[in-house]
Amino acid sequence: MTKLYIAVPCYNEEEVLPDSSARLFDRMNRLIDGGMITPDSRIVFIDDGSTDRTWELIEKLHAHHPMFCGIKLSRNRGHQNALMAGLMTLKDEADAVISIDADLQDDIEVFDEMLCKLDEGCDVVYGVRSKRDTDTFFKRFTAEGYYKILEKMGAKVIFNHADFRLMSRRALQAFAQYGEVNLFLRGMVPLVGYRSDIVTYERSERLAGESKYPLKKMLSLAWEGITSLSTKPIKFVTRLGLIIFLISIVMLLYFFIRFLCGATVTGWASLAVSIWAIGGLQLLAIGIIGEYIGKIYLETKRRPRYIIETYLKD
Ligand code: UDP
Ligand code: MG
């Protein structure tokens, strides 16, 4: 039997927490009754510095039943860091940890299947959405396009998998060796290796409250993913520079031949345009390289990814 921990990052989730906790509790009890997990399995909420009553609710749940535990971060650090805090705190306590969002958009009924795959010897089981009916056209289009771009950039990501996955203790302990502070978990987990498999499910709508991932945060996560997993953008810039340089040589030759033929080059427009074009490209190139230097800067500081204020257990 598996000692299963569920890690649930929560940021201002007072609206969904009562309902999600009840559903998770019921689900865990069914698994315990079915003999799939041990009775000392836990549901652990990670409060990512919420400003509403989220932590209060977690404390109440913990007082109500020992199955509920809570980790309180000292301030808001974002979904990826909160999840990492959970996984790293639980890695030595559980046999396996399933991470899932607080709004339970991911299907808790596939826990069974995940546990079966674990028994079959998989160390990582990815939850993959079969359909995206509940997403808006815009989100579906951008998300699926994004996964394809990531793949082109050479990153190993599981198509249509977000952060709903099961990891065994062994996988978590290997994962703990990744010390980077710029986190994009769904791209990092496949790097660990070990046997893995997927389970598919239909993603439902958020139970209540609103998305804690506004467009701005989503774009920043997307950019994080590309720059954390791939150095292709830098290589692209180098290649672009080379091509433009070659074009300028061709242009130079052309104008020189025209000059020899006696036709003077008139028009400063082409000149002005090329100055602007090259200038803009250079700035862009420096900007992209700067992004990476910024990352190196953050990594070399080795700041903690999160600070745990309280850990409510047993
Ligand atoms: N979340 C978090 N910290 C943040 C933002 C979000 O821990 O700064 C959590 C949030 O509570 C939820 C999960 O990340 O459990 C995913 O957020 P959400 O469901 O709003 O994202 P969406 O499903 O809309 O992409
Ligand atoms: Mg959600």
Side-chain angles (χ1 to χ4, degrees):
M1 269 202 289
T2 312
K3 186 172 174 189
L4 177 70
Y5 276 49
I6 312 286
V8 193
C10 305
Y11 177 57
N12 291 346
E13 297 284 12
E14 63 177 9
E15 280 158 296
V16 297
L17 216 49
D19 198 31
S20 332
S21 57
R23 282 176 53 193
L24 280 171
F25 186 65
D26 170 64
R27 187 74 188 96
M28 291 295 270
N29 281 320
R30 272 192 283 145
L31 287 171
I32 293 170
D33 293 342
M36 307 255 322
I37 60 174
T38 60
D40 59 351
S41 294
R42 298 273 179 268
I43 302 167
V44 186
F45 297 103
I46 302 113
D47 178 19
D48 185 19
S50 300
T51 50
D52 64 357
R53 288 177 47 250
T54 300
W55 182 247
E56 238 177 280
L57 290 174
I58 295 171
E59 279 178 325
K60 277 209 189 103
L61 286 166
H62 178 69
H64 166 71
H65 198 284
M67 186 187 283
F68 295 110
C69 299
I71 296 172
K72 182 174 163 52
L73 300 193
S74 59
R75 68 181 184 89
N76 181 248
R77 291 292 288 121
H79 176 221
Q80 300 286 298
N81 283 299
L83 191 52
M84 193 66 174
L87 296 178
M88 291 303 104
T89 310
L90 306 177
K91 69 176 196 302
D92 301 313
E93 296 179 35
D95 294 331
V97 179
I98 294 180
S99 50
I100 188 167
D101 290 350
D103 53 8
L104 297 193
Q105 283 184 283
D106 309 304
D107 188 5
I108 56 176
E109 294 308 318
V110 301
F111 284 5
D112 277 297
E113 219 181 310
M114 287 180 156
L115 288 164
C116 287
K117 304 247 170 185
L118 178 74
D119 280 343
E120 285 166 17
C122 291
D123 281 281
V124 186
V125 185
Y126 301 98
V128 172
R129 297 169 210 186
S130 55
K131 278 199 251 165
R132 278 179 173 270
D133 291 357
T134 53
D135 284 342
T136 58
F137 171 76
F138 176 73
K139 180 146 183 178
R140 187 161 62 204
F141 181 74
T142 49
E144 293 192 341
Y146 177 66
Y147 281 104
K148 293 208 177 102
I149 291 175
L150 265 185
E151 212 161 55
K152 285 250 157 60
M153 295 260 174
K156 260 183 79 185
V157 281
I158 313 292
F159 191 67
N160 269 343
H161 158 73
D163 281 306
F164 177 39
R165 74 182 83 82
L166 175 144
M167 291 177 79
S168 70
R169 180 192 291 226
R170 186 163 78 139
L172 284 168
Q173 281 172 347
F175 194 55
Q177 296 174 40
Y178 287 74
E180 59 222 71
V181 294
N182 296 293
L183 295 180
F184 186 70
L185 296 178
R186 68 194 72 165
M188 289 160 62
V189 173
L191 300 177
V192 171
Y194 290 135
R195 215 175 114 188
S196 68
D197 206 341
I198 58 167
V199 298
T200 51
Y201 65 97
E202 280 177 32
R203 189 166 152 103
S204 53
E205 255 162 285
R206 190 173 237 283
L207 288 177
E210 53 194 39
S211 173
K212 306 296 179 292
Y213 260 105
L215 188 64
K216 204 172 140 209
K217 263 195 197 171
M218 204 131 74
L219 287 177
S220 106
L221 180 72
W223 183 240
E224 185 73 45
I226 293 180
T227 51
S228 288
L229 296 170
S230 167
T231 48
K232 284 241 167 100
I234 296 189
K235 294 193 185 115
F236 175 71
V237 165
T238 315
R239 230 172 284 155
L240 194 71
L242 192 69
I243 291 170
I244 289 175
F245 178 64
L246 290 177
I247 291 175
S248 71
I249 287 185
V250 172
M251 271 164 71
L252 202 71
L253 283 175
Y254 172 73
F255 288 129
F256 187 61
I257 291 165
R258 296 256 310 199
F259 172 71
L260 289 184
C261 297
T264 40
V265 182
T266 53
W268 53 274
S270 55
L271 207 68
V273 166
S274 58
I275 290 171
W276 279 84
I278 298 285
L281 275 172
Q282 277 176 336
L283 279 183
L284 179 79
I286 293 171
I288 292 178
I289 293 164
E291 285 284 334
Y292 284 90
I293 295 178
K295 292 219 143 160
I296 297 169
Y297 177 59
L298 286 178
E299 294 292 353
T300 50
K301 285 206 231 204
R302 306 227 119 260
R303 281 188 181 159
R305 294 182 279 207
Y306 50 81
I307 291 169
I308 292 174
E309 191 174 310
T310 324
Y311 180 16
L312 275 185
K313 61 167 184 173
D314 304 329

